[in-house]
Structure formats: structure tokens, C-alpha cells
Amino acid sequence: VKETPISFTDENGNVVPALVEILEFLAQYHPSVILAMGHGSAAEIDAVIKKAKELGLKKLYVNHPIFIVDADIPTMKRWAEMGCFLELNACNLYRSVTRPPTVGPDVVKQIVAEAGVEHCVISTDMGQKHNPPPVDVLAEFMQWFIDTIGLTEEQVFRMAKTNPAALLGI
């Protein structure tokens, strides 16, 4: 299937009107919805975050900011300071059947240190049939954060359970 990319922003870096309309609707009727950023570029996502915050949306989630989005650490830190949650997923950072990790453990450690565990969410992105079961990988990934990244069990618990629960309002 041929894909046609959709831009979040225009040639001047402004959020496109159709997306602004959606954000305005969400802000008016569902301000606590989780707005996931998807697979835009770092610049596009930055513009969407600013517009969403301006309109009053509160729960902003940046999908795998390292992979596809390709944000640098200062940008991720700024997003965290703006209240965004950053997804750290096993498929890109730990292991996958189809590709090696996007970055090494030192970079992951720096991201967590700069953004803070209170702004990170651990996920697997292992739903593809060629990858191992997500539950198994999540357990391994959580242990990897303790053994390799040097986080405490409490910090990992925060990223794997407390932060996602806060996003979901449970």
C-alpha cells in the first residue's frame, strides 16, 4: 500500500489548521485525553506540544522520541519540563528480532536523568508476530533498567506502573 505522509505543520512550522481543529475540539470536550504524538519529526512534535499546551491539553505522550522522531536529549528534557511523558520502549532500546537497539544504555541513562523518571513511561512495542511476547519482554526490560541503567526498583515501578496509571487517570 502506498503511503502518503501527513505533515503536522506547514512550511512555516505552524500546526496545520486541520490538526488545530482537532486539538481545539479535544481541549473543549476532552481536555484530559491522552494525546500521543505519533511518528512526526521532532520539530513537528515540538509545534504540536506547544499548541496543545496553549489550548489546555494536559496529558501529552511522546511516542519513542529516539526512534523515528529522532529528538535530541535537550529537546526531550524540554518536553518533560513542559509536562510531557516520554515513551522508552524495549523494541527500540533493548531488543527486537528485526533490528538492534537504536542507542546504547549510556544514552538511555542520560535521557532518564535529564527528563526524570516522573516523565518516562516504559513500554515494549512488541506486538508484532515476529517478536517475543510483550509481557515477557516487559519483565526483562524492567530488569534491564535496574541491572544496566542503574535505576532502583521504585524508579522502574514509577515508569512502568505509576506514570501510565496517572496518564490513564487510574
Side-chain angles (χ1 to χ4, degrees):
V1 175
K2 184 179 179 190
E3 295 180 358
T4 304
I6 299 170
S7 259
F8 300 168
T9 57
D10 62 20
E11 60 280 347
N12 297 318
N14 299 311
V15 178
V16 296
L19 181 50
V20 171
E21 253 185 83
I22 293 167
L23 296 175
E24 288 172 341
F25 175 85
L26 292 173
Q28 183 174 356
Y29 297 105
H30 305 286
S32 63
V33 70
I34 301 167
L35 180 65
M37 298 299 138
H39 292 177
S41 69
E44 288 177 307
I45 288 171
D46 196 55
V48 172
I49 288 170
K50 288 174 184 171
K51 180 54 83 174
K53 295 292 287 181
E54 173 189 314
L55 293 171
L57 289 167
K58 299 179 183 352
K59 296 179 180 180
L60 307 178
Y61 186 82
V62 182
N63 303 87
H64 41 273
I66 300 162
F67 180 71
I68 298 176
V69 172
D70 201 26
D72 60 22
I73 293 173
T75 299
M76 287 184 254
K77 180 180 181 184
R78 186 167 38 80
W79 290 341
E81 289 169 347
M82 293 171 76
C84 296
F85 286 89
L86 306 177
E87 178 188 57
L88 303 175
N89 72 53
C91 196
N92 298 317
L93 304 176
Y94 172 61
R95 76 178 180 108
S96 169
V97 171
T98 58
R99 64 179 173 267
T102 307
V103 297
D106 290 343
V107 174
V108 176
K109 184 181 276 190
Q110 187 179 359
I111 292 166
V112 173
E114 294 288 329
V117 295
E118 66 276 11
H119 293 287
C120 295
V121 171
I122 295 174
S123 70
T124 67
D125 204 12
M126 288 282 178
Q128 307 85 3
K129 67 180 179 178
H130 58 270
N131 275 319
V135 173
D136 296 344
V137 175
L138 183 59
E140 292 173 21
F141 194 40
M142 291 170 69
Q143 192 63 49
W144 180 81
F145 272 98
I146 294 168
D147 297 341
T148 304
I149 304 303
L151 298 182
T152 66
E153 285 185 24
E154 292 78 20
Q155 290 171 312
V156 173
F157 185 85
R158 171 104 192 229
M159 296 189 306
K161 183 177 178 186
T162 308
N163 292 346
L167 273 167
L168 294 169
I170 56 175

